Amino acid sequence: MKKKEEYVATIGLEVHVQLKTRTKMFCGCAVEFGAEPNTNVCPVCLGLPGSLPVMNEEALRLTALAGLMFGCEIGPVCKFDRKNYFYPDMPKNYQISQYDMPFCLGGEVPLHTLAYPKDAQKAIANPGKKVRLVRIHLEEDVAKSFHLENASGIDFNRAGTPLLEIVSRPDIETPEEAFAYLTVLQQVMVYGGVSDADMEKGQMRCDVNVSVRRVGDEGLGTKVELKNLNSISGVRRALAYEIRRQIEVLCGGGRLEQETRRWDDAQGETVLMRTKESAHDYRYFPDPDLMPVKTERFVAEARGRMPELPWAKRERFVKQYGVSEYDAGVLADDLALAAYFERAAAGSKKPKAVANWLLNDVLSALSSAGKGIGDCPVSPEGLLELVDTIESGVISGRQGKEVFAEMFATGKRASQIIEEKGLKQLSDVGALEVLCEQVIRDNPGPVADYRAGKAAAINFLKGQVMKLSKGKANPSVVSEILEKKLAG
Amino acid sequence: MEIVNLTLYELRQKIRDGELSVCEVLEALGERIAATDSTVGAYLDYNIERALSEARNVDLSLPLGGLPIAIKDNINVKGELCTCASKILTGYRAPYDATAIARLKSAGAIPFGRLNMDEFAMGSSTENSAYQLTRNPWDPSRIPGGSSGGSAASVAARSAFAALGSDTGGSIRQPAAHCGCVGLKPSYGRVSRYGLVAFASSLDQIGPLARSVRDCALLLSVIAGHDPADSTSLDAPVPDYTANLREDLRGIRLGIPKEYFSEGIDSHVRSCIETALQHCKELGAEIVEISLPHTPYAISTYYIIAPAEASANLARFDGVRYGYRTANPADISELYFNTRAEGFGSEVKRRIILGTYVLSSGYYDAYYLRAQKVRTLIRRDFEQAFQSVDAIVCPTSPEPAFPIGERTSDPLKMYLSDIFTISANLAGICAISVPCGFAQINGKKLPVGLQFLCNFLEEQKLLSIANAYEVTTPWSRQSPPI
């Protein structure tokens, strides 16, 4: 009987990402999610006799951009090949893909702390780990089959959508690393405008290979492929289950079969789909309908579109705005949130305060309203105005919360709400001096206490001034006046 | 002179001059088809009525205004059946026009009928059609050649003035030679393949068959040119190919490949070619011997590359979306297996199996990859040759048309008759076949074709040289006895 601790997992991911192009890979049909079945189709993407593919140059640019973002090698020429197999969702019964001359080779995906699941961020086994890529290639997506009661239907709207295949080296060792890897991939795709990478919409799909072996063993264990992984957290759960299952089989003296298993998210288990598929011979050969692609022009154009990557943005936020590393990380994790922050922070003397408001008040209001930053009722300029109003003492921090709630609910500007509610703080020194003098006069006891060295007594006096001003007095101005007068 | 005997060029002149109306032309054509096609069997279908109604709106000032053109059944004509003479495409109607057809239509031409062919253009005799036999108008007991047999037979039988065909390994030139008409295979990429049902994508080209070189030039001027829908079409200017067609060969150097004249050429063909070469000399040409050393490998190279591409191109015919579907399949594999087993003819199956085999892992390097390398060598042979000659001249086919049924059980012998035409497709260059005399066999006159080959994109020179030969000899104006 072997111990569980003696095992380590090896995980490889094959991720497919739909490119964010207006039209399909080899024809002019629109790429559109949720359209009526078989409405975005033409002779080319239906594979009708006599039709021919023509390359979508935007897809080539986006592929080059993906390659640049992950630091891949891009050769001077890549080509397209036909991958032959019969399946009803394949209009031509071959898929135009890339075989031995893919667009991008190598590259790596850095796993940063915040990309890990929240509960795992405190105990990361290999901080700063980078997962190496084998390749990124471009191909066409297939159609989608639907199985009805007595028949099957095929929707060809998806057929021909440009698709990236991103293959990792088997560098990933834990479900948490797989989670972080997918999170970073998704983030970078969105950052570059390469893909919306929404797993729920099938814009990002992944197949996982996982095996376990005893620590110290040279060769890899028997590989199991997992299917039906529809979310990043689902991948984590499926891997955790599958690794446990494989270790248990081996610990119990059993043998593992090379097989494909389906993840059942509701039951929380993997179920056998098929064993030992006979190796498919795809009979790849260069597609004679397409000329090899000279990549230079597309790489140059992609270079001009290189975004600031999440990790670079994080560092800059710390330096430029003085926010904490953690806050910078949270901000940079989400491109839309980062953009919102920069619009608000750019005009502010206290960008740090803007970040605090954004990460606390704005995000919690959004989450309880079930909204995303994209449809936040308070604009970045509105938040900036609010934070400035507080920072310059026009209203108190507590009033600020009230004003924000109103802004969020109504979409009104802070200044308008302050006006309507008469919330403006009393900061006029002359007027406040009158109030302070009155309070000193009316409260000889605490005044004497303060003068006798009981510093806390000033808080009582401050409270009385606030009361007299009906809460409008600017507390810091009041403190200053009181201190001056009591000292004199 | 009878209307149906006119060349396309003469016909256009008479229509423009008002000597003939398009209606008269179409009626005469309809009568001729009715009179001959029960014997020849060139047409899968045709519609003179509809052509007449289209003729009413046609602009006669257009380059092909009102001229009826017949189309090989593997080229998409919107709304018409497009079956590639295969059972697997039974009832399939083209939902769009091939680019070549769209160009014909916008030049005023009227596509009016579909021509028989070898199934999916695989064959040299048109015997592989799933629908009917096409007979040679010069001797109905013999094949018309193939795969564009219907195209050549209709033009020769005067039941079409001109036709479009497709040429993957000689499928325009060889039937043109056997039927006594002119057939042009343009350089690869000169004419868009969009809408031509693919057989072997890196070899296929659409081209014209007609009764004169000038007619082929006229049609090529219309159908050639860059097409954004075909990534392999060339962005090179299209000259007026009918301009400056010469009538002598002074200053022209013609090369004779010594490898082509070694053996296996029928004696009738050999004597016709020798006479033709003599004639070329009289026209002022200088004739030199050249070498195309990789010729012996051309047929094997072709029969690896073409089936490999075909095996993928024909995978889409599976009964799922269109065309023939087997009855009551139990599951998806049975749907695939039975549809394809029942829908394809034996020659098509043979080539799909060949192609699948040569692409299989473990065999790819030895067959497909090696064939691609040899293809490069064959291309270099021609590049080398064209440094010293303007054109290469040789027979189109080593023999005249053979009797129907003679080769059906011997595919290898059938393949070998493509020896002189295949190299042009492998090299991507242009070539033309013009009539150069007759072989007298069993009291029948059987046409013999002379082939000229020119370098890549040198169609103008090719047409000019072929025109000089054609207009100074009587052969292209002979009508078959039918």
Side-chain angles (χ1 to χ4, degrees):
Chain A
M1 187 88 175
K2 289 146 191 160
K3 285 190 195 137
K4 286 182 182 183
E5 295 69 35
E6 291 174 2
Y7 288 90
V8 60
T10 303
I11 301 165
L13 279 91
E14 202 178 284
V15 179
H16 286 96
V17 174
Q18 284 186 348
L19 292 183
K20 197 176 173 180
T21 51
R22 277 192 309 106
T23 56
K24 293 187 181 180
M25 186 61 224
F26 297 114
C27 64
C29 289
V31 173
E32 194 184 355
F33 180 79
E36 274 290 297
N38 297 311
T39 50
N40 291 325
V41 293
C42 75
V44 176
C45 57
L46 287 174
L48 296 187
S51 65
L52 293 171
V54 176
M55 277 179 235
N56 179 337
E57 296 203 340
E58 177 64 3
L60 300 175
R61 277 189 284 273
L62 291 178
T63 307
L65 182 55
L68 290 176
M69 290 192 297
F70 292 117
C72 303
E73 230 177 275
I74 299 177
V77 178
C78 71
K79 69 173 171 74
F80 287 92
D81 302 278
R82 294 183 180 178
K83 178 182 182 179
N84 295 287
Y85 65 96
F86 277 75
Y87 206 74
D89 65 12
M90 286 251 295
K92 303 181 291 294
N93 286 322
Y94 64 80
Q95 182 187 26
I96 305 177
S97 182
Q98 297 192 291
Y99 182 51
D100 53 351
M101 288 172 74
F103 210 118
C104 313
L105 279 171
E108 54 189 23
V109 178
L111 308 184
H112 55 83
T113 308
L114 286 172
Y116 283 83
K118 271 212 174 66
D119 58 276
Q121 289 175 7
K122 291 249 160 62
I124 293 169
N126 290 297
K129 178 166 183 163
K130 289 174 174 175
V131 175
R132 293 167 301 162
L133 296 179
V134 176
R135 57 191 271 158
I136 301 178
H137 75 242
L138 182 56
E139 59 187 27
E140 54 176 345
D141 208 345
V142 296
K144 216 171 168 174
S145 304
F146 292 93
H147 301 289
L148 314 167
E149 214 167 308
N150 290 314
S152 293
I154 310 170
D155 177 8
F156 289 93
N157 283 350
R158 194 177 77 176
T161 300
L163 200 63
L164 286 188
E165 183 175 309
I166 304 169
V167 184
S168 81
R169 291 233 210 163
D171 286 351
I172 299 169
E173 290 172 305
T174 65
E176 289 68 36
E177 285 178 2
F179 183 102
Y181 171 80
L182 290 169
T183 304
V184 174
L185 270 192
Q186 191 175 46
Q187 209 174 66
V188 171
M189 288 298 153
V190 173
Y191 255 69
V194 170
S195 171
D196 287 334
D198 187 338
M199 280 188 86
E200 265 175 40
K201 290 184 180 168
Q203 290 162 337
M204 181 160 129
R205 307 192 283 272
C206 93
D207 293 331
V208 173
N209 283 309
V210 55
S211 64
V212 300
R213 69 189 149 92
R214 291 184 62 194
V215 177
D217 276 4
E218 281 288 313
L220 294 176
T222 306
K223 189 169 77 175
V224 169
E225 188 177 351
L226 300 183
K227 296 262 183 198
N228 193 40
L229 301 163
N230 301 317
S231 68
I232 295 180
S233 55
V235 171
R236 182 191 182 192
R237 286 192 294 275
L239 277 169
Y241 174 89
E242 180 58 23
I243 291 168
R244 205 178 326 120
R245 185 191 71 85
Q246 291 186 12
I247 293 173
E248 272 165 19
V249 170
L250 295 176
C251 285
R255 278 172 55 95
L256 289 163
E257 294 289 330
Q258 184 164 339
E259 59 192 31
T260 301
R261 300 178 71 87
R262 184 181 171 281
W263 170 243
D264 183 332
D265 207 30
Q267 297 298 313
E269 59 184 26
T270 62
V271 189
L272 178 67
M273 275 173 82
R274 50 182 182 259
T275 46
K276 267 201 191 152
E277 278 170 276
S278 52
H280 226 117
D281 184 358
Y282 291 117
R283 305 189 309 278
Y284 283 100
F285 73 104
D287 191 333
D289 288 332
L290 295 163
M291 310 302 275
V293 182
K294 292 195 177 114
T295 56
E296 192 185 351
R297 173 162 68 92
F298 302 106
V299 173
E301 286 165 357
R303 232 178 264 288
R305 280 159 65 168
M306 250 314 251
E308 181 183 32
L309 291 168
W311 39 95
K313 198 182 282 288
R314 230 168 8 242
E315 271 179 41
R316 181 170 62 80
F317 279 3
V318 172
K319 276 193 201 130
Q320 187 176 342
Y321 299 112
V323 298
S324 72
E325 244 171 77
Y326 180 83
D327 285 357
V330 178
L331 289 168
D333 257 1
D334 179 336
L335 186 57
L337 187 64
Y340 186 104
F341 169 68
E342 288 224 72
R343 270 174 69 188
S348 172
K349 289 188 195 86
K350 296 260 174 99
K352 221 179 140 166
V354 173
N356 284 337
W357 270 88
L358 181 55
L359 294 178
N360 298 312
D361 304 84
V362 178
L363 286 191
S364 73
L366 284 171
S367 99
S368 36
K371 287 182 174 172
I373 189 74
D375 33 43
C376 180
V378 177
S379 69
E381 292 74 18
L383 182 67
L384 169 63
E385 186 194 355
L386 175 66
V387 174
D388 275 358
T389 312
I390 298 162
E391 290 299 317
S392 61
V394 178
I395 56 170
S396 67
R398 199 155 43 96
Q399 286 172 321
K401 309 253 175 205
E402 196 185 327
V403 173
F404 174 74
E406 186 83 8
M407 287 169 74
F408 196 88
T410 63
K412 284 182 186 169
R413 298 185 50 161
S415 54
Q416 192 187 346
I417 296 166
I418 292 166
E419 192 75 27
E420 283 170 8
K421 298 207 159 194
L423 287 179
K424 213 166 208 163
Q425 276 193 146
L426 196 50
S427 299
D428 180 72
V429 177
L432 287 177
E433 274 184 343
V434 176
L435 294 180
C436 288
E437 278 158 17
Q438 192 190 328
V439 167
I440 289 170
R441 231 175 11 251
D442 294 350
N443 295 287
V447 169
D449 287 351
Y450 179 79
R451 286 191 171 137
K454 206 169 156 192
I458 200 167
N459 289 336
F460 173 79
L461 299 171
K462 235 167 102 181
Q464 293 304 304
V465 178
M466 295 308 288
K467 208 166 158 188
L468 267 180
S469 73
K470 300 198 176 83
K472 286 186 192 170
N474 182 331
S476 53
V477 179
V478 171
S479 301
E480 259 175 57
I481 296 172
L482 283 175
E483 275 165 25
K484 216 166 71 195
K485 291 209 180 286
L486 292 171
Chain B
M1 197 180 194
E2 252 195 278
I3 294 176
V4 292
N5 271 320
L6 296 169
T7 66
L8 199 64
Y9 214 77
E10 291 161 347
L11 185 68
R12 180 172 81 156
Q13 203 52 51
K14 289 198 187 295
I15 291 174
R16 284 186 173 176
D17 294 346
E19 272 181 59
L20 277 175
S21 75
V22 177
C23 288
E24 282 174 278
V25 172
L26 288 170
E27 274 158 13
L29 189 62
E31 281 167 27
R32 179 67 185 170
I33 297 171
T36 58
D37 213 51
S38 54
T39 308
V40 177
Y43 284 89
L44 289 171
D45 71 30
Y46 65 98
N47 194 331
I48 296 292
E49 289 304 310
R50 219 193 20 254
L52 280 165
S53 79
E54 279 168 35
R56 261 179 247 126
N57 307 315
V58 83
D59 178 355
L60 296 182
S61 68
L62 289 169
L64 302 176
L67 302 181
I69 310 288
I71 310 294
K72 188 176 181 181
D73 194 35
N74 60 351
I75 303 173
N76 279 262
V77 180
K78 190 174 178 175
E80 302 298 318
L81 293 172
C82 181
T83 70
C84 300
S86 179
K87 185 179 171 187
I88 210 156
L89 277 169
T90 306
Y92 178 75
R93 272 182 201 280
Y96 67 97
D97 274 330
T99 301
I101 297 299
R103 289 188 175 168
L104 282 184
K105 284 181 176 173
S106 43
I110 305 173
F112 71 97
R114 298 187 298 121
L115 296 164
N116 199 24
M117 57 187 280
D118 283 302
E119 184 180 4
F120 285 104
M122 297 175 183
S124 308
S125 66
T126 313
E127 291 166 293
N128 296 331
S129 166
Y131 297 105
Q132 65 195 37
L133 267 182
T134 297
R135 295 172 183 277
N136 193 312
W138 292 89
D139 176 356
S141 74
R142 290 175 185 262
I143 56 103
S147 67
S148 308
S151 304
S154 63
V155 170
R158 274 54 185 164
S159 60
F161 295 96
L164 289 191
S166 68
D167 190 316
T168 306
S171 280
I172 287 175
R173 291 160 287 158
Q174 183 256 23
H178 286 342
C179 292
C181 50
V182 181
L184 169 70
K185 183 206 94 73
S187 306
Y188 185 75
R190 179 74 292 194
V191 178
S192 168
R193 293 184 295 116
Y194 191 77
L196 167 67
V197 181
F199 158 16
S201 312
S202 73
L203 301 159
D204 295 341
Q205 267 292 287
I206 293 176
L209 294 96
R211 288 189 220 128
S212 73
V213 171
R214 186 174 289 273
D215 287 357
C216 284
L218 178 63
L219 286 168
L220 183 66
S221 302
V222 169
I223 62 173
H226 180 242
D227 177 10
D230 175 1
S231 312
T232 62
S233 83
L234 290 161
D235 200 353
V238 179
D240 175 1
Y241 290 111
T242 61
N244 310 314
L245 290 175
R246 47 194 294 174
E247 298 190 354
D248 65 70
L249 292 174
R250 275 195 295 273
I252 295 288
R253 274 167 76 93
L254 296 176
I256 300 179
K258 59 178 182 205
E259 293 81 1
Y260 284 23
F261 288 88
S262 49
E263 58 194 88
I265 298 180
D266 171 270
S267 61
H268 301 91
V269 172
R270 188 182 284 271
S271 104
C272 285
I273 299 297
E274 278 163 5
T275 310
L277 291 176
Q278 188 54 41
H279 182 75
C280 290
K281 269 189 203 160
E282 284 157 19
L283 288 172
E286 182 192 348
I287 294 183
V288 296
E289 192 182 79
I290 57 158
S291 174
L292 298 170
H294 294 93
T295 299
Y297 309 108
I299 287 183
S300 2
T301 302
Y302 177 88
Y303 278 99
I304 290 169
I305 292 172
E309 294 179 5
S311 72
N313 284 330
L314 271 59
R316 69 191 66 195
F317 305 109
D318 59 5
V320 173
R321 283 145 293 129
Y322 49 78
Y324 175 80
R325 179 190 287 181
T326 189
N328 305 317
D331 55 26
I332 186 71
S333 339
E334 210 176 290
L335 171 75
Y336 288 151
F337 285 124
N338 294 357
T339 297
R340 290 166 68 81
E342 294 156 18
F344 288 133
S346 57
E347 182 60 27
V348 171
K349 284 182 206 163
R350 177 165 23 245
R351 297 202 196 186
I352 290 173
I353 292 167
L354 252 175
T356 304
Y357 178 80
V358 299
L359 289 176
S360 299
S361 80
Y363 298 97
Y364 181 89
D365 290 0
Y367 292 103
Y368 185 79
L369 209 59
R370 178 156 302 187
Q372 290 294 5
K373 287 178 183 162
V374 177
R375 185 176 184 178
T376 305
L377 297 175
I378 289 171
R379 191 178 290 139
R380 288 204 194 124
D381 279 358
F382 281 100
E383 278 166 16
Q384 188 72 33
F386 286 124
Q387 286 183 357
S388 59
V389 297
D390 294 293
I392 293 168
V393 59
C394 63
T396 307
S397 174
E399 61 206 343
F402 49 84
I404 289 169
E406 188 192 84
R407 307 265 164 97
T408 38
S409 55
D410 190 351
L412 194 57
K413 197 164 183 202
M414 190 89 93
Y415 296 171
L416 289 173
S417 67
D418 298 338
I419 176 79
F420 299 135
T421 49
I422 268 175
S423 296
N425 300 79
L426 289 170
I429 60 174
C430 54
I432 194 166
S433 176
V434 291
C436 69
F438 293 93
Q440 290 276 357
I441 297 176
N442 301 333
K444 298 266 170 60
K445 282 164 79 184
L446 299 177
V448 173
L450 177 70
Q451 184 180 216
F452 293 100
L453 303 96
C454 274
N455 208 350
F456 189 61
L457 276 182
E458 286 190 348
E459 275 80 0
Q460 202 152 28
K461 192 196 257 182
L462 177 72
L463 288 161
S464 207
I465 292 170
N467 187 69
Y469 176 82
E470 188 229 339
V471 299
T472 54
T473 52
W475 312 118
S476 69
R477 285 177 297 285
Q478 310 281 311
S479 291
I482 190 162

